[in-house]
Amino acid sequence: MAAYDIAIRGGLVATAFGATRCDIGVKDGRIAALAETITDAAQVLDAGGLYVVPGGVDSHCHIEEPSLGGYAKSDGAPQLTVNEESFVTASTSAFAGGTTSVVCFIPQWKGHGVLERYRDYRKRAATGMLDHAFHQIISDPTDAVLNEEVPQLVAEGVRSLKVFLTYEPLHLNDAEYIKVLLTARRNGCLVTVHCENYDAINWRTQALLAAGMTGPKYHAWSRPRVVEREATHRAIALAELVDQPIQVFHVSCEDAAEEIARAQARGLKVWGETCPQYVTLTAADMDRPGFEGAKFMCSPAPRDTAEHLRIWEMIRRGTLDVVSSDHCGFTFGTDRGKAVAGRDASFEKIPNGIPGLAARLPIVFSEGVAKGRIALEEFVKLTATNPARIMGLYPRKGVIQPGSDADLVLWDPARKVTLTNAVMQHAIDYTPYEGLEVTGWPVTTIRRGEVVMRDGKVQAEPGTGRYLPRGPYDLVKPRGITPDGFVAP
Ligand code: URP
Ligand code: ZN
Ligand code: ZN
């Protein structure tokens, strides 16, 4: 019998600490050896001329997510509506783009608990092929949810609570946000935060609508940079008060990133995530003719090309250390997705979110490494190692070292591909990146030692994705420091 199940030979193996040309031996789904030469294997993959990088960890994906408003009425009967991407289609898309693990969201509806949705969502996620962990959205922080249900979720391996500071009906006020921070602190969880000011956006939206400014482009006008900066500042200040680590999601602009940089300089445990849309799309995309602009509508809104460069600078400085997709697909040509309120709907009625699971690694590599903005090891950090560390999945995920899961991508650094919807292999009928040319492409994706994508052909059995329960981890331990020394019990 061969010593290894697979040998990956002759690639440039990249980790967050540098790159070395060596062979990789895989046994029982794990990395068993890194050595100059490994030949004794049942299957040999030639990685000559290729990079070998850790399978992407996308720590911010909305997949088959039951609608945030809860039950929709259909023919008078209550019916659960779900986000249009299923775990099977999302897995296909993720593997096509070199991602092997995701962290996605369990919703909470006002007036409901969280455990029932957790059980339902575990079942949904188990139908796919991606390894998966969960964030729990908290939109109704009752004592029963925070004191009784959250500890049970934590025992089940859910270690991050997600809060929205905007969006009807999800947003929390400051008092509610503080309660969630305290609960996270007591239970050893991370808090992830959507930072935009709800009241300011509401006021702006009403003013724009009253002035007849209703098209998709006014989405960006309803939420300028300052509403993101203000909420980021507030989210950090309250987390500092409570001494609770947070990750600020989908940072779109330097103004918000500067708040994170200041917090990090003070030693706070505050991390910043950005997304490919904030280095490629602009507000002008939402000004395309007719309803077309809806394809690019997400929150925070894409800014402009000068902002793209500032985001890269914040990535280079390490202020923003994770690039997630915020994959949140709504179809364009149906009456279910972007056009659910009609193709003439005013901007505030158009669902927010864009698909991007498969595009994430290629865009970060192409815009980052191929254009000389970041090194290969930074690419690995941003797309795999840092999300795994911050989410408590490291070193099982996000690194190529003996003992870690054999989630690997054979990456052709020179291949040029034009992004099209067909290439994305998702269930959504468009990609906001249509026509974007990228340099660098995943040619083979391996999940736990199994080749699940080769040359664009995804070959994985539905139902083979594994749940990734997360235990306690040091990164989310409070620092033990508050502004005045008072620590709430
Ligand atoms: O527009 C976005 N980002 N939609 C997804 C939900 C969220 O805010 O993360
Ligand atoms: Zn968000
Ligand atoms: Zn999101």
Side-chain angles (χ1 to χ4, degrees):
M1 197 166 110
Y4 300 103
D5 302 327
I6 305 184
I8 298 160
R9 305 214 51 214
L12 185 71
V13 178
T15 71
F17 313 106
T20 324
R21 198 163 304 283
C22 67
D23 293 356
I24 302 174
V26 173
K27 183 80 182 160
D28 298 330
R30 296 211 175 158
I31 295 164
L34 301 176
E36 219 168 315
T37 311
I38 294 177
T39 49
D40 186 10
Q43 188 186 3
V44 174
L45 299 180
D46 178 10
L50 303 176
Y51 297 166
V52 186
V53 298
V57 178
D58 196 338
S59 51
H60 184 164
C61 297
H62 303 270
I63 301 172
E64 209 170 324
E65 188 174 304
S67 86
L68 298 170
Y71 286 92
K73 289 273 179 199
S74 164
D75 300 331
Q79 172 191 292
L80 189 60
T81 56
V82 294
N83 170 288
E84 290 181 276
E85 195 78 74
S86 77
F87 272 97
V88 172
T89 59
S91 302
T92 303
S93 187
F95 291 163
T99 285
T100 47
S101 307
V102 289
V103 188
C104 37
F105 298 86
I106 315 166
Q108 184 203 3
W109 303 319
K110 287 205 192 293
H112 292 255
V114 293
L115 283 173
E116 187 192 344
R117 286 276 64 78
Y118 161 75
R119 291 190 193 102
D120 168 66
Y121 204 58
R122 276 286 299 268
K123 285 193 203 129
R124 288 176 188 277
T127 62
M129 299 89 92
L130 278 163
D131 286 357
H132 50 272
F134 304 132
H135 307 286
Q136 175 64 58
I137 294 172
I138 303 289
S139 64
D140 195 0
T142 61
D143 286 350
V145 165
L146 298 184
N147 301 334
E148 290 159 34
E149 294 203 297
V150 167
Q152 291 181 62
L153 277 180
V154 170
E156 296 272 343
V158 176
R159 285 271 167 187
S160 40
L161 305 179
K162 163 75 187 288
V163 302
F164 291 89
L165 300 185
T166 191
Y167 286 151
E168 198 64 65
L170 299 169
H171 71 100
L172 301 187
N173 62 32
D174 290 352
E176 292 170 324
Y177 172 53
I178 289 170
K179 281 211 257 176
V180 175
L181 291 168
L182 282 166
T183 302
R185 191 177 196 281
R186 288 179 193 128
N187 287 279
C189 295
L190 176 70
V191 174
T192 62
V193 195
H194 178 128
C195 294
E196 289 186 294
N197 182 307
Y198 171 77
D199 289 308
I201 292 170
N202 232 350
W203 164 71
R204 265 280 173 127
T205 299
Q206 296 317 317
L208 288 163
L209 295 178
M213 300 160 103
T214 60
K217 81 167 182 183
Y218 295 109
H219 173 70
W221 293 42
S222 72
R223 47 209 330 124
R225 291 168 174 83
V226 61
V227 307
E228 185 182 346
R229 168 162 60 82
E230 186 282 331
T232 304
H233 177 86
R234 184 161 35 100
I236 292 170
L238 298 180
E240 180 175 5
L241 190 65
V242 171
D243 185 24
Q244 166 58 35
I246 63 169
Q247 186 187 35
V248 178
F249 267 172
H250 43 45
V251 175
S252 76
C253 59
E254 181 188 45
D255 294 23
E258 289 283 13
E259 297 292 339
I260 297 168
R262 272 193 283 279
Q264 291 170 344
R266 291 203 302 281
L268 301 184
K269 289 191 175 187
V270 174
W271 296 279
E273 170 212 78
T274 190
C275 312
Q277 48 270 39
Y278 301 119
V279 293
T280 50
L281 305 181
T282 68
D285 286 312
M286 284 178 280
D287 194 16
R288 297 197 188 187
F291 192 58
E292 193 73 11
K295 286 182 175 174
F296 308 90
M297 191 182 278
C298 56
S299 293
R303 310 295 178 187
D304 54 37
T305 49
E307 199 65 67
H308 298 167
L309 299 181
R310 295 186 202 114
I311 290 288
W312 277 116
E313 180 54 27
M314 286 304 192
I315 290 174
R316 254 197 312 270
R317 286 192 211 166
T319 306
L320 304 176
D321 59 0
V322 167
V323 183
S324 303
S325 68
D326 192 6
H327 179 88
C328 185
F330 295 99
T331 47
F332 182 73
T334 70
D335 58 7
R336 299 187 303 275
K338 290 283 185 187
V340 70
R343 303 183 91 73
D344 292 326
S346 48
F347 67 86
E348 90 291 3
K349 297 201 174 71
I350 301 171
N352 283 202
I354 57 174
L357 251 175
R360 182 178 71 112
L361 267 65
I363 289 177
V364 179
F365 188 89
S366 184
E367 293 294 314
V369 183
K371 291 194 174 167
R373 292 177 172 131
I374 55 170
L376 176 59
E377 52 262 46
E378 292 303 319
F379 167 76
V380 171
K381 277 190 208 167
L382 291 165
T383 58
T385 312
N386 287 346
R389 282 179 57 245
I390 292 170
M391 291 301 152
L393 295 169
Y394 184 92
R396 178 169 176 191
K397 302 291 184 187
V399 62
I400 302 176
Q401 68 180 29
S404 296
D405 282 357
D407 296 339
L408 302 162
V409 181
L410 275 51
W411 190 273
D412 183 343
R415 185 172 304 183
K416 288 192 189 306
V417 173
T418 301
L419 301 188
T420 64
N421 198 46
V423 168
M424 298 294 101
Q425 301 197 46
H426 53 208
I428 309 304
D429 57 358
Y430 83 97
T431 169
Y433 306 112
E434 188 77 34
L436 181 72
E437 188 178 276
V438 293
T439 301
W441 196 252
V443 291
T444 303
T445 304
I446 298 166
R447 182 217 52 193
R448 280 183 276 106
E450 183 186 343
V451 174
V452 290
M453 187 281 287
R454 204 193 287 252
D455 293 325
K457 195 170 172 343
V458 174
Q459 47 201 22
E461 269 305 301
T464 52
R466 284 197 192 148
Y467 176 55
L468 301 169
R470 297 180 280 157
Y473 59 113
D474 281 353
L475 221 64
V476 293
K477 276 196 186 144
R479 296 187 313 146
I481 303 171
T482 58
D484 59 356
F486 174 70
V487 180

